[in-house]
mmCIF file of all heavy atoms in Angstrom:
data_model
loop_
_atom_site.group_PDB
_atom_site.id
_atom_site.type_symbol
_atom_site.label_atom_id
_atom_site.label_comp_id
_atom_site.label_asym_id
_atom_site.label_seq_id
_atom_site.Cartn_x
_atom_site.Cartn_y
_atom_site.Cartn_z
ATOM 1 N N GLY A 317 -13.758 11.867 23.661
ATOM 2 C CA GLY A 317 -14.230 12.323 24.965
ATOM 3 C C GLY A 317 -15.326 13.361 24.838
ATOM 4 O O GLY A 317 -15.680 13.809 23.735
ATOM 5 N N GLN A 457 -25.540 25.465 4.897
ATOM 6 C CA GLN A 457 -26.370 24.265 4.845
ATOM 7 C C GLN A 457 -27.437 24.338 3.759
ATOM 8 O O GLN A 457 -27.683 23.356 3.055
ATOM 9 C CB GLN A 457 -27.026 24.027 6.203
ATOM 10 C CG GLN A 457 -26.040 23.618 7.286
ATOM 11 C CD GLN A 457 -26.742 23.243 8.579
ATOM 12 O OE1 GLN A 457 -27.571 23.991 9.084
ATOM 13 N NE2 GLN A 457 -26.409 22.094 9.116
ATOM 14 N N GLN A 492 -27.141 37.630 -2.434
ATOM 15 C CA GLN A 492 -28.554 37.970 -2.485
ATOM 16 C C GLN A 492 -29.042 38.498 -1.136
ATOM 17 O O GLN A 492 -29.767 39.496 -1.065
ATOM 18 C CB GLN A 492 -29.372 36.750 -2.886
ATOM 19 C CG GLN A 492 -30.880 37.000 -2.937
ATOM 20 C CD GLN A 492 -31.659 35.762 -3.332
ATOM 21 O OE1 GLN A 492 -31.084 34.758 -3.734
ATOM 22 N NE2 GLN A 492 -32.967 35.819 -3.212
ATOM 23 N N SER A 499 -27.952 48.544 3.376
ATOM 24 C CA SER A 499 -26.786 49.223 3.940
ATOM 25 C C SER A 499 -26.008 48.303 4.852
ATOM 26 O O SER A 499 -26.582 47.536 5.619
ATOM 27 C CB SER A 499 -27.240 50.449 4.729
ATOM 28 O OG SER A 499 -26.178 50.958 5.496
ATOM 29 N N SER A 532 -44.669 15.514 7.920
ATOM 30 C CA SER A 532 -44.338 14.194 7.392
ATOM 31 C C SER A 532 -43.256 13.512 8.208
ATOM 32 O O SER A 532 -43.093 12.291 8.140
ATOM 33 C CB SER A 532 -43.888 14.309 5.933
ATOM 34 O OG SER A 532 -42.572 14.839 5.830
ATOM 35 N N LEU A 598 -41.382 36.207 27.143
ATOM 36 C CA LEU A 598 -41.105 36.826 25.849
ATOM 37 C C LEU A 598 -39.770 36.382 25.276
ATOM 38 O O LEU A 598 -39.663 36.102 24.078
ATOM 39 C CB LEU A 598 -41.154 38.349 25.989
ATOM 40 C CG LEU A 598 -42.542 38.932 26.262
ATOM 41 C CD1 LEU A 598 -42.447 40.381 26.705
ATOM 42 C CD2 LEU A 598 -43.422 38.815 25.022
ATOM 43 N N TYR A 607 -35.495 29.457 16.245
ATOM 44 C CA TYR A 607 -35.014 28.133 15.867
ATOM 45 C C TYR A 607 -36.063 27.368 15.064
ATOM 46 O O TYR A 607 -35.732 26.622 14.130
ATOM 47 C CB TYR A 607 -34.578 27.341 17.101
ATOM 48 C CG TYR A 607 -33.175 27.670 17.521
ATOM 49 C CD1 TYR A 607 -32.918 28.427 18.654
ATOM 50 C CD2 TYR A 607 -32.085 27.249 16.761
ATOM 51 C CE1 TYR A 607 -31.615 28.750 19.026
ATOM 52 C CE2 TYR A 607 -30.787 27.560 17.118
ATOM 53 C CZ TYR A 607 -30.559 28.305 18.258
ATOM 54 O OH TYR A 607 -29.277 28.629 18.606
ATOM 55 N N ALA A 659 -60.472 21.717 14.119
ATOM 56 C CA ALA A 659 -60.952 21.865 15.495
ATOM 57 C C ALA A 659 -61.126 23.312 15.917
ATOM 58 O O ALA A 659 -61.600 23.574 17.020
ATOM 59 C CB ALA A 659 -59.991 21.164 16.452
ATOM 60 N N ALA A 855 -53.813 65.592 39.902
ATOM 61 C CA ALA A 855 -53.366 64.907 38.683
ATOM 62 C C ALA A 855 -51.850 64.891 38.615
ATOM 63 O O ALA A 855 -51.194 65.876 38.918
ATOM 64 C CB ALA A 855 -53.931 65.623 37.458
#
Side-chain angles (χ1 to χ4, degrees):
Q457 291 186 309
Q492 179 180 351
S499 168
S532 75
L598 291 167
Y607 276 107

